[in-house]
Amino acid sequence: MAYLAGLAGKKIAIVEPRGRLLAAPTGWVSKVLREAGRELGSKDASRRADWGRVLSDFLEPTAQRAFALTDRTLEQLHAVSTACSVSILKGRAKFTGEMQVQVVDGSDEREPQRTVRAGSIFIATGSLANRLASLPWSSSRADGFLFDSDTIQSVGRLPRHVAIQGAGVIGFEYASIFRRLGADVTLFFREAAPLDVGIGIDSSVKQAVLRRMTKVGVTVLCEDGDIESILLPERKHGMGRITLANSGRTIECDVFMSAIGRHGNADTLDLPAAGLAAPVRGNLVHVEPSSMRARTAKDGLDFSMPVYAIGDCSYGSKITGMLLSSGQAHAAIAANHAFSLDDQRSDGRLKANTSAASGALFSDVSNSYPDHSAVALWTDPTIAYAGLSEEAAVAKLGADRVGAVKVYFTDTVKACVRPRGKDEFLKLVYTKDGGVIIGVSIFGSDASEIVQNVCSSINRGDTLWQIARSVPPAVTYQESLRTAALRAIHSVNVEQPEP
């Protein structure tokens, strides 16, 4: 968001509790741990990773590179626009009036409170982990044993046995990570399958995830997510015991991570003080999707104030929250609405257009946004999807109109050169009465590198014949998409069109 504002030549103030920006993706620690596990661990946990090397070779260097990238990005902002200035205010902000916030740095009582007024305000406070009230979070004996999906990033060691509660993406991600690093892992949840949490993942992917976790030695307990009791360790980093309510099963572990969803981080902002509506549905800011403007406290659906909410703290966007880059997409929409920007100049920079009340940045995404966005989950292996799953397509169109085909990556030339998991695949969903591609699901390494191309095909309304006649780059996994189209064509109820 700051970069887009910089392109418009705006003066920018960023309120950040740490006092320094970090150019890294949400949950960057888990992504680094995944890479560490791939190099230092093993798929079946037969080798335990050296945590000292995880820290020195992966976590610390990644943070240093991310901070350096942040510094370079800020330098680029000044290069793009000489009118742009960026101030980073250490502390937390809350509204004290319309278009006015107070910044308080709780770490330094000597630092005076600051009041900041702005022509546009962008809320990007993210989300926080849900915590079950029944768990002993405040107990001193829970220190180093009980974690949520935020605090697990500071675990600081490789546990012997990790118990993870939750069927969502974060639970699956950390189950894979800790197993790869060499820990024993038990994953338990209420749902019938991992990732069965209503985020549009195809059943084929869910089944593949369950088989993969079982294969590498993760103990998966489906429909057994409630806890009857917890016995905390007698000493720090000792073993505790969890007893499950449904089965009565006990789990001995030295780390317990409860990953049962997240909620918006907007409750401390005091939105009503600015004349904005109070947070909704788990501390989220209600926004108007075409502009990302926050709802005001006026009667009716009023979004007239230039306050915007982007990322995990917003509610009402048409862009899925599971998309890792959803915050960036929200920022583009908000910037298009907030700033008047003209065409690109001949020197490659953008110039401000002071004559218009609102403008477009790169494209008018506020009025014309793709129907489907690609979703990529940094799990191990990666999961990516776009459009409709087979189940969603059948529910929408009927089973007689929907076809699906699955191609394993082992059926590609690249897999002959670089072998990969035999269970990794691309699944294409299409209409039988026209061969229009309406969905894709990918399970496997490099899934995030493939999905955007297929998503573009879905949004264009491409058919199986168009994909089948395409020529992918040589020796790439894009070949799997063409193979899927070729295999599906025989089931489509129309004649092949003329070239």
Side-chain angles (χ1 to χ4, degrees):
M1 190 65 245
Y3 197 88
L4 296 177
L7 292 178
K10 303 296 183 181
K11 293 182 178 180
I12 306 160
I14 303 173
V15 181
E16 162 59 44
R18 295 168 298 190
R20 188 176 184 186
L21 301 183
L22 178 67
T26 300
W28 71 275
V29 171
S30 64
K31 281 60 176 175
V32 178
L33 291 178
R34 186 183 78 153
E35 296 306 307
R38 288 179 169 181
E39 182 168 328
L40 305 178
S42 59
K43 291 183 179 180
D44 59 357
S46 58
R47 180 174 68 249
R48 280 179 64 84
D50 180 346
W51 189 261
R53 286 197 59 193
V54 171
L55 186 64
S56 63
D57 295 0
F58 291 89
L59 289 171
E60 291 177 349
T62 299
Q64 292 169 1
R65 288 191 293 267
F67 280 127
L69 176 59
T70 305
D71 294 338
R72 291 197 299 273
T73 301
L74 294 176
E75 291 172 1
Q76 290 168 9
L77 278 177
H78 293 294
V80 167
S81 173
T82 55
C84 170
S85 66
V86 181
S87 300
I88 301 175
L89 309 180
K90 184 181 179 182
R92 299 182 183 275
K94 67 175 182 178
F95 285 98
T96 55
E98 187 171 311
M99 305 305 297
Q100 177 177 293
V101 297
Q102 184 182 74
V103 181
V104 179
D105 180 9
S107 65
D108 188 354
E109 295 181 356
R110 297 169 300 175
E111 185 70 22
Q113 298 178 356
R114 302 183 63 174
T115 297
V116 180
R117 292 188 57 82
S120 299
I121 295 177
F122 301 88
I123 301 171
T125 50
S127 61
L128 299 172
N130 291 339
R131 286 189 168 190
L132 290 174
S134 58
L135 297 181
W137 299 102
S138 60
S139 173
S140 60
R141 288 168 55 190
D143 181 30
F145 172 78
L146 179 59
F147 297 87
D148 59 30
S149 56
D150 288 326
T151 58
I152 192 64
Q153 298 186 58
S154 60
V155 62
R157 63 190 176 95
L158 178 58
R160 288 165 287 173
H161 188 165
V162 183
I164 301 175
Q165 178 188 38
V169 175
I170 297 176
F172 166 50
E173 182 181 30
Y174 272 98
S176 302
I177 288 169
F178 280 120
R179 186 59 180 167
R180 191 76 177 243
L181 288 169
D184 291 331
V185 178
T186 299
L187 178 65
F188 63 97
F189 43 80
R190 291 178 175 178
E191 292 76 9
L195 303 179
D196 191 15
V197 289
I199 57 176
I201 295 179
D202 194 275
S203 62
S204 296
V205 173
K206 298 174 189 175
Q207 293 164 9
V209 166
L210 182 57
R211 288 193 296 266
R212 173 65 72 93
M213 286 198 292
T214 301
K215 181 180 178 180
V216 301
V218 174
T219 301
V220 182
L221 306 178
C222 305
E223 299 179 313
D224 202 8
D226 293 326
I227 297 172
E228 181 177 286
S229 63
I230 294 181
L231 180 63
L232 295 173
E234 293 292 335
R235 57 181 178 82
K236 191 170 184 177
H237 299 165
M239 300 296 284
R241 182 185 302 119
I242 301 169
T243 302
L244 302 182
N246 188 32
S247 64
R249 181 168 183 156
T250 60
I251 305 170
E252 302 277 346
C253 59
D254 57 329
V255 162
F256 170 38
M257 173 185 175
S258 180
I260 44 104
R262 302 181 67 80
H263 62 273
N265 186 21
D267 59 328
T268 61
L269 298 176
D270 197 0
L271 299 178
L276 298 168
V280 298
R281 298 189 60 168
N283 293 324
L284 299 172
V285 182
H286 187 189
V287 299
E288 195 279 317
S290 68
S291 65
M292 301 305 294
R293 272 193 174 184
R295 182 180 179 180
T296 73
K298 297 178 181 178
D299 293 338
L301 297 177
D302 180 79
F303 301 90
S304 59
M305 194 179 299
V307 176
Y308 303 79
I310 59 178
D312 291 348
C313 66
S314 65
Y315 165 74
S317 170
K318 295 179 180 178
I319 301 172
T320 174
M322 289 307 303
L323 183 63
L324 278 177
S325 55
S326 60
Q328 296 180 29
H330 292 167
I333 294 173
N336 286 336
H337 192 273
F339 309 131
S340 298
L341 298 173
D342 203 357
D343 296 333
Q344 200 167 8
R345 301 191 317 197
S346 58
D347 62 1
R349 300 179 182 180
L350 293 172
K351 59 182 180 180
N353 175 4
T354 57
S355 62
S358 63
L361 177 62
F362 308 124
S363 63
D364 189 6
V365 294
S366 63
N367 294 326
S368 176
Y369 206 82
D371 291 332
H372 301 283
S373 298
V375 178
L377 310 178
W378 272 40
T379 51
D380 189 10
T382 310
I383 294 170
Y385 57 98
L388 301 176
S389 66
E390 182 179 3
E391 295 76 29
V394 169
K396 185 175 183 178
L397 303 176
D400 58 332
R401 294 187 58 199
V402 175
V405 61
K406 184 190 296 184
V407 173
Y408 288 93
F409 289 123
T410 49
D411 293 338
T412 63
V413 173
K414 186 169 183 177
C416 298
V417 179
R418 183 187 295 173
R420 57 188 296 161
K422 295 180 179 179
D423 58 347
E424 299 179 14
F425 63 86
L426 177 146
K427 180 177 181 179
L428 206 60
V429 183
Y430 56 90
T431 62
K432 289 183 177 180
D433 53 355
V436 177
I437 299 169
I438 57 176
V440 66
S441 295
I442 310 172
F443 175 76
S445 302
D446 303 310
S448 58
E449 308 298 329
I450 302 172
V451 69
Q452 184 58 41
N453 287 343
V454 194
C455 184
S456 296
S457 291
I458 294 170
N459 286 323
R460 286 194 303 265
D462 287 353
T463 66
L464 296 170
W465 290 279
Q466 288 170 296
I467 298 299
R469 289 171 174 164
S470 66
V471 181
V475 197
T476 66
Y477 293 122
Q478 296 284 353
E479 178 189 348
S480 60
L481 175 61
R482 185 168 181 262
T483 301
L486 288 167
R487 291 181 182 178
I489 281 175
H490 75 278
S491 67
V492 178
N493 303 324
V494 295
E495 298 260 340
Q496 180 175 349
E498 292 297 324

